[in-house]
C-alpha cells in the first residue's frame, strides 16, 4: 500500500519525500482517530447481531463468540500491519500502532460485554470507564511503545 495511511507520524524513509512530521496536538488527535479500528468494530457488530439472532432454534455457544472475537482481532492486526507499512519506500509496519489498535479493539469488545460477560469478566460500570479511559490515553501509551519498538 502506498503511503501507509494509518501510520501515526512519518517514518524516516517518508520524510525525504517532502512529507513533514506531525507534531503536538495534531499528532494526538490523529492518533486517537487512527488507533480505533472502526472498520473491524463495525464488522464485529454485524457478526454479533448474527450470533445473537442465531439460526432456527440454534443458540451459539461461547466457542462461537470466542472464535468470532479472535477472527476479528486477527483482521485488526493484519489490516493495521498492512496499512501502517509501505513496501515501495521500505517503510516497515508501525508495530506500536498495530498493538494499540489490537488492544483498542479488545477494549471495545469488552465494552459491549459479549464474550467477556459469558466468561464472567465483565461489569457494566467497569466497561464504560475502561472504554473512556483507554480512548483518551491510548496515544500516550503509543508514545511509550514507539520507544520499545524503536520506531
Amino acid at each position: 500500500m502506498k503511503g501507509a495511511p494509518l501510520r501515526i507520524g512519518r517514518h524516516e524513509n517518508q520524510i525525504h519525500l517532502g512529507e513533514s512530521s506531525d507534531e503536538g496536538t495534531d499528532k494526538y488527535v490523529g492518533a486517537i482517530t487512527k488507533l480505533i479500528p472502526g472498520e473491524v468494530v463495525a464488522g464485529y457488530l454485524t457478526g454479533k447481531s448474527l450470533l445473537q439472532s442465531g439460526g432456527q432454534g440454534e443458540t451459539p455457544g461461547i466457542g462461537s463468540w470466542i472464535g468470532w472475537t479472535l477472527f476479528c482481532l486477527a483482521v485488526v492486526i493484519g489490516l493495521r500491519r498492512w496499512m501502517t507499512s509501505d513496501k515501495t519506500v521500505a517503510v516497515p509496519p508501525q508495530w506500536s500502532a498495530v498493538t494499540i489498535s489490537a488492544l483498542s479493539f479488545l477494549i471495545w469488545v469488552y465494552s459491549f460485554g459479549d464474550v467477556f460477560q459469558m466468561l464472567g469478566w465483565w461489569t457494566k460500570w467497569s466497561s464504560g470507564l475502561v472504554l473512556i479511559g483507554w480512548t483518551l490515553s491510548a496515544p500516550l501509551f503509543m508514545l511509550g511503545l514507539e520507544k520499545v519498538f524503536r520506531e
Side-chain angles (χ1 to χ4, degrees):
M1 163 167 283
K2 186 168 173 43
L6 291 181
R7 193 170 181 86
I8 312 299
R10 299 290 174 212
H11 186 269
E12 60 191 31
N13 292 353
Q14 292 174 304
I15 293 174
H16 80 277
L17 298 174
E19 300 176 11
S20 62
S21 176
D22 297 328
E23 295 298 325
T25 313
D26 289 339
K27 185 175 181 178
Y28 178 80
V29 171
I32 286 178
T33 304
K34 293 177 180 180
L35 292 173
I36 298 170
E39 70 283 357
V40 181
V41 170
Y44 174 84
L45 289 173
T46 302
K48 171 184 172 168
S49 68
L50 293 171
L51 284 170
Q52 287 176 330
S53 65
Q56 297 172 345
E58 298 174 19
T59 304
I62 193 165
S64 297
W65 282 94
I66 290 172
W68 179 239
T69 302
L70 291 176
F71 171 77
C72 289
L73 177 63
V75 170
V76 169
I77 293 168
L79 279 176
R80 295 303 164 129
R81 180 181 180 275
W82 173 53
M83 295 185 78
T84 61
S85 64
D86 188 352
K87 290 183 181 182
T88 60
V89 290
V91 174
Q94 190 177 16
W95 289 110
S96 56
V98 173
T99 302
I100 296 295
S101 291
L103 290 171
S104 294
F105 171 75
L106 289 174
I107 287 170
W108 273 86
V109 171
Y110 178 74
S111 75
F112 301 138
D114 302 337
V115 71
F116 293 100
Q117 191 172 17
M118 291 175 186
L119 293 168
W121 301 345
W122 182 86
T123 61
K124 187 175 184 177
W125 66 268
S126 67
S127 67
L129 293 176
V130 168
L131 180 63
I132 294 165
W134 178 256
T135 301
L136 296 175
S137 62
L140 302 175
F141 286 108
M142 199 185 114
L143 294 175
L145 283 177
E146 283 179 333
K147 292 176 184 172
V148 170
F149 288 117
R150 297 182 182 159
E151 297 173 327

